[in-house]
């Protein structure tokens, strides 16, 4: 006689999946990412349009955003660690969407009454509007950073429970959502602005964020209700002591041992305050608290056993080999039009999705740490095509041309710029006469360049997922926010350095040198990861596990809350 319960029907299984906490997180992340991608694309276009087709406001905005995350990443992460999960998620969600809505309304006013604003107080009112737009948009980005840390780096880990494979699948799915929205969302808002106007585009984005905010808020609440472990947060010492006294087995049910649940915060002096101490209630102490948090956050990041893995990921941001405005501008100088570039971006997205799928498969076969090593080798091998493209026929690489020629020409006011410069990049059209394009043989260099960039995305995204999961699994719960905040700061720091590198060598003749420097930084990043991997596994790094072997026994432990 079969004593097992009745099997679920197909409809019941489907219903359970669509009401599960995992699916609700996917839905919330898709809505949040879609709004973020639309706004990030549109705000750059809006700022260029407002300032007379100049990139000045866009450059200022990018500098402010990068600088803010660089300085405040650790502080944001510490705030995530200090407060209850639901409060952090709801607050960051409300702040982010409210700022985008306010910014969209302000931009609508500026677009509608720009001529009148220019005449008021010699244009100072319009300048104030520009400052407000950049400031509010920066606050929205900081709130988005907090949302990313708390949902992708914390909630996902808790929802996955103690299942490392489930965590890997969830990370991969989240990254696929990122890839798809990164293409589809800008396309949608771009079409709205093309067939409507920038005014309509601002209104659409504001309306979208208002509706999305309500839905995301409800989804967060449902996930929180379906996952009781989210209500218990390690690091709150007094609360953990009370929980252990009331229910000694509760920590074990949530995957925590008593020793792990009582793990102190990263800095007891700054995070566990004694309210009776006059030193900690003084004005100077309160003012200097952000500085102490900043210092202790970076110190905690340095002391992590995954420090070199995190640094290796940050070094990958020091590159011009991506589909940003720099590579797009260079492609225009080599004769590629907008249609070809859009196809290349689509191929890049497909390659990235393949990388996320490959990550889950390779991790099951070889383990998490080995997956990062294999991904690094694959990425670096593909990038060799980019190095070859520097010396291939059609490459404008010429070290005899001074990298400061364009800057010097602007300063002295001489019209000595080469035919294809950064100025013509942003004014190029796809309707240029055929005779102005480079000869067919010159496409060999740019073809090799983009072949390498697109192929390398498989290894890049697989490596990114590897480091993300390593941080999730090896950082204690009470430091999860601050460590990921510092990681974001490191990523932005290297990203800033790559823009500075382009500013110092802006002409196309020097782009080959930037390619070589970029590949060198990627190689240094993977050398750091190799050091981390070899220290973790030793000679076993080069011995791939058999399919029957349990990978978790050597390098993929079930999710610990302490190292």
């Amino acid at each position: 006689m079969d004593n097992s319960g009745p099997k679920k029907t197909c409809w019941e299984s489907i219903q359970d999946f669509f009401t599960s906490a995992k699916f609700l997180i996917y839905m919330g992340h898709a809505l949040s990412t879609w709004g973020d991608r639309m706004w990030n694309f549109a705000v750059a276009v809006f700022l260029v349009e407002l300032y007379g087709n100049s990139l000045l406001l866009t450059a200022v905005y990018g500098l402010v955003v990068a600088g803010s995350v660089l300085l405040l990443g650790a502080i944001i992460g510490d705030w995530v660690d200090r407060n209850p999960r639901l409060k952090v998620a709801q607050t960051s969600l409300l702040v982010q969407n409210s700022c985008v809505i306010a910014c969209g309304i302000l931009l609508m006013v500026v677009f509608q009454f720009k001529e009148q604003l220019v005449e008021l107080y010699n244009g100072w009112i319009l300048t104030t509007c520009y400052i407000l737009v950049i400031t509010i948009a920066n606050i929205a980005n900081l709130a988005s950073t907090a949302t990313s840390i708390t949902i992708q780096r914390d909630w996902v880990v808790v929802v996955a429970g103690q299942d490392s494979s489930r965590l890997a699948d969830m990370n991969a799915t989240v990254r696929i959502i990122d890839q798809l929205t990164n293409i589809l969302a800008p396309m949608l808002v771009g079409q709205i602005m093309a067939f409507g106007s920038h005014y309509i585009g601002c209104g659409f984005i504001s309306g979208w964020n208002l509706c999305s905010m309500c839905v995301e808020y409800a989804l967060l609440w449902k996930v929180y209700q379906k996952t009781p472990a989210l209500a218990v947060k390690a690091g709150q010492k007094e609360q953990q002591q009370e929980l252990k006294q009331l229910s000694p087995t509760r920590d074990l049910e949530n995957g925590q041992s008593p020793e792990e649940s009582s793990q102190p915060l990263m800095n007891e002096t700054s995070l566990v305050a004694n309210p009776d101490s006059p030193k900690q209630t003084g004005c100077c102490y309160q003012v200097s608290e952000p500085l102490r948090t900043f210092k202790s956050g970076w110190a905690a990041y340095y002391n992590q056993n995954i420090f070199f893995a995190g640094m290796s990921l940050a070094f990958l941001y020091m590159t011009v080999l991506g589909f940003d405005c720099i590579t797009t501008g260079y492609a225009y100088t080599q004769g590629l039009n907008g249609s070809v570039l859009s196809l290349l971006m689509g191929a890049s997205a497909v390659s990235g999705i393949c990388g996320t799928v490959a990550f889950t498969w390779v991790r099951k076969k070889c383990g998490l740490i080995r997956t990062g090593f294999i991904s690094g080798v694959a990425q670096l091998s593909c990038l060799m095509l980019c190095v070859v493209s520097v010396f291939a026929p059609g490459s404008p690489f010429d070290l005899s041309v001074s990298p400061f020629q364009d800057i010097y020409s602007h300063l002295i006011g001489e019209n000595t710029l080469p035919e294809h410069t950064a100025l013509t990049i942003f004014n190029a059209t796809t309707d240029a006469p055929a005779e102005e394009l480079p000869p067919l043989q010159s496409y060999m260099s740019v073809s090799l360049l983009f072949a390498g960039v697109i192929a390398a995305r498989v290894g890049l995204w697989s490596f990114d997922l590897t480091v993300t999961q390593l941080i999730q699994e090896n950082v204690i719960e009470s430091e999860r926010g601050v460590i990921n905040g510092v990681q974001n700061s490191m990523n932005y720091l290297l990203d800033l350095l790559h823009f500075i590198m382009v500013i110092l060598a802006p002409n196309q003749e020097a782009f080959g040198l930037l390619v070589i420097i970029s590949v060198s930084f990627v190689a240094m990043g993977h050398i750091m990861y190799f050091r981390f991997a070899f220290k973790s596994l030793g000679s076993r790094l080069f011995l791939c596990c058999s399919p029957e072997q349990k990978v978790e026994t050597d390098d993929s432990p079930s999710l610990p809350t302490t190292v």
Side-chain angles (χ1 to χ4, degrees):
M1 181 177 179
D2 189 9
N3 295 325
S4 61
K7 293 184 179 180
K8 292 184 178 180
T9 64
C10 180
W11 170 251
E12 288 174 337
S13 300
I14 294 175
Q15 190 176 18
D16 288 344
F17 173 75
F18 283 110
T19 56
S20 65
K22 182 170 69 172
F23 179 77
L24 295 178
I25 277 191
Y26 295 156
M27 285 294 297
H29 179 70
L31 289 172
S32 177
T33 307
W34 188 279
D36 284 348
R37 296 297 183 269
M38 284 199 307
W39 172 247
N40 291 334
F41 171 80
V43 69
V45 176
F46 294 153
L47 292 176
V48 170
E49 178 70 19
L50 286 174
Y51 210 68
N53 293 325
S54 170
L55 295 173
L56 178 61
L57 284 182
T58 306
V60 171
Y61 170 69
L63 182 63
V64 169
V65 165
S68 297
V69 177
L70 177 61
L71 294 175
L72 302 176
I75 297 173
I76 292 173
D78 178 64
W79 174 75
V80 171
D81 289 332
R82 281 171 174 262
N83 293 278
R85 288 189 174 97
L86 186 61
K87 176 184 176 182
V88 169
Q90 290 176 338
T91 302
S92 55
L93 173 67
L94 292 174
V95 171
Q96 177 191 359
N97 286 275
S98 299
C99 287
V100 172
I101 293 169
C103 209
I105 294 173
L106 181 58
L107 284 170
M108 292 173 69
V109 172
V110 173
F111 278 122
Q112 189 71 16
F113 303 103
K114 184 178 180 181
E115 295 180 359
Q116 293 88 330
L117 292 174
V118 170
E119 299 174 356
L120 290 175
Y121 299 99
N122 296 322
W124 281 105
I125 298 295
L126 185 60
T127 302
T128 303
C129 290
Y130 293 158
I131 296 173
L132 284 175
V133 167
I134 292 176
T135 302
I136 298 173
N138 183 47
I139 296 173
N141 183 74
L142 293 175
S144 176
T145 301
T147 302
S148 175
I149 291 174
T150 189
I151 301 297
Q152 298 183 42
R153 305 294 187 263
D154 187 25
W155 283 46
V156 168
V157 180
V158 178
V159 171
Q162 299 296 300
D163 192 340
S164 184
S165 296
R166 188 183 184 193
L167 177 62
D169 292 338
M170 290 186 69
N171 285 331
T173 304
V174 166
R175 199 52 49 88
I176 290 174
I177 293 172
D178 290 339
Q179 290 284 334
L180 292 176
T181 54
N182 199 33
I183 295 180
L184 299 178
M187 287 176 58
L188 173 63
V189 73
Q191 294 301 315
I192 291 174
M193 290 190 293
F195 291 99
S197 65
H198 291 91
Y199 180 85
I200 296 176
C202 291
F204 175 79
I205 292 175
S206 296
W208 173 275
N209 278 269
L210 179 60
C211 298
S212 176
M213 177 175 62
C214 299
V215 177
E216 289 178 59
Y217 196 94
L219 290 173
L220 286 175
W221 177 245
K222 292 294 293 182
V223 172
Y224 189 79
Q225 286 182 318
K226 288 178 175 292
T227 314
L230 289 171
V232 181
K233 195 166 188 178
Q236 299 168 354
K237 203 168 185 179
E238 295 80 9
Q239 295 181 7
Q240 291 297 320
Q241 294 293 339
E242 292 176 3
L243 286 173
K244 285 190 294 181
Q245 292 174 3
L246 294 173
S247 179
T249 60
R250 183 167 181 178
D251 288 328
L252 297 175
E253 291 173 357
N254 287 282
Q256 292 179 294
S257 65
E259 291 81 6
E260 293 169 344
S261 64
S262 60
Q263 181 74 20
L265 290 177
M266 64 175 182
N267 190 329
E268 292 186 1
T269 1
S270 61
L271 298 183
V272 184
N274 180 9
D276 298 328
S277 173
K279 182 181 178 181
Q280 296 183 357
T281 56
C283 181
C284 294
Y285 182 87
Q286 297 296 332
V287 170
S288 61
E289 185 175 1
L291 295 177
R292 291 195 310 277
T293 301
F294 179 85
K295 179 182 176 181
S296 59
W298 283 84
Y301 179 78
Y302 176 77
N303 291 324
Q304 295 294 319
N305 64 341
I306 45 85
F307 168 72
F308 281 105
M311 285 293 295
S312 66
L313 178 62
F315 264 60
L316 302 191
Y317 282 77
M318 177 66 177
T319 177
V320 296
L321 301 175
F323 282 89
D324 55 6
C325 57
I326 295 170
T327 311
T328 303
Y330 175 76
Y332 269 116
T333 68
Q334 299 306 296
L336 301 184
N337 57 32
S339 175
V340 174
L341 280 173
S342 63
L343 293 175
L344 292 176
M345 291 183 68
S348 173
V350 172
S351 179
I353 293 173
C354 292
T356 60
V357 175
F359 163 75
T360 56
W361 184 83
V362 177
R363 194 204 67 85
K364 291 177 181 177
K365 296 291 183 180
C366 301
L368 184 60
I369 294 179
R370 292 189 188 90
T371 299
F373 178 71
I374 295 170
S375 302
V377 172
Q379 182 190 8
L380 205 54
S381 301
C382 293
L383 289 181
M384 290 300 106
L385 289 174
C386 301
V387 177
V388 173
S389 73
V390 175
F391 308 99
S395 172
F397 182 56
D398 186 0
L399 289 179
S400 64
V401 178
S402 171
F404 302 101
Q405 176 177 330
D406 290 357
I407 300 175
Y408 180 72
S409 300
H410 280 293
L411 290 176
I412 64 176
E414 294 181 2
N415 189 18
T416 57
L417 296 178
E419 182 179 357
H420 294 291
T421 65
L423 294 178
T424 59
I425 288 173
F426 298 99
N427 293 324
T429 63
T430 57
D431 298 322
E435 61 269 19
E436 293 183 7
L437 298 178
L440 184 60
Q441 64 175 6
S442 68
Y443 286 119
M444 180 180 293
S445 174
V446 71
S447 298
L448 287 172
L449 175 69
F450 279 98
V453 170
I454 292 172
R457 309 297 275 189
V458 176
L460 171 64
W461 286 109
S462 179
F463 183 79
D464 178 87
L465 283 167
T466 299
V467 176
T468 296
Q469 186 158 343
L470 283 171
I471 295 175
Q472 289 172 329
E473 292 185 354
N474 290 277
V475 175
I476 61 175
E477 187 177 330
S478 59
E479 293 185 358
R480 204 174 279 160
V482 72
I483 297 303
N484 281 285
V486 175
Q487 182 65 51
N488 284 344
S489 297
M490 283 299 306
N491 296 345
Y492 270 94
L493 174 61
L494 272 297
D495 194 44
L496 270 179
L497 292 179
H498 113 268
F499 279 111
I500 293 174
M501 178 176 68
V502 175
I503 292 173
L504 295 177
N507 54 335
Q508 62 172 325
E509 289 81 6
F511 190 81
L513 180 62
L514 302 185
V515 170
I516 296 173
I517 293 174
S518 298
V519 174
S520 300
F521 268 86
V522 172
M524 285 189 286
H526 289 305
I527 289 172
M528 291 181 185
Y529 184 84
F530 175 77
R531 175 179 175 179
F532 160 78
F534 192 78
K535 184 179 179 181
S536 301
L537 297 180
S539 59
R540 291 184 299 138
L541 174 64
F542 306 103
L543 301 175
C544 197
C545 300
S546 63
E548 295 81 12
Q549 200 173 353
K550 287 187 179 180
V551 176
E552 285 77 13
T553 58
D554 59 355
D555 67 321
S556 297
S558 59
L559 308 178
T561 54
T562 186
V563 180

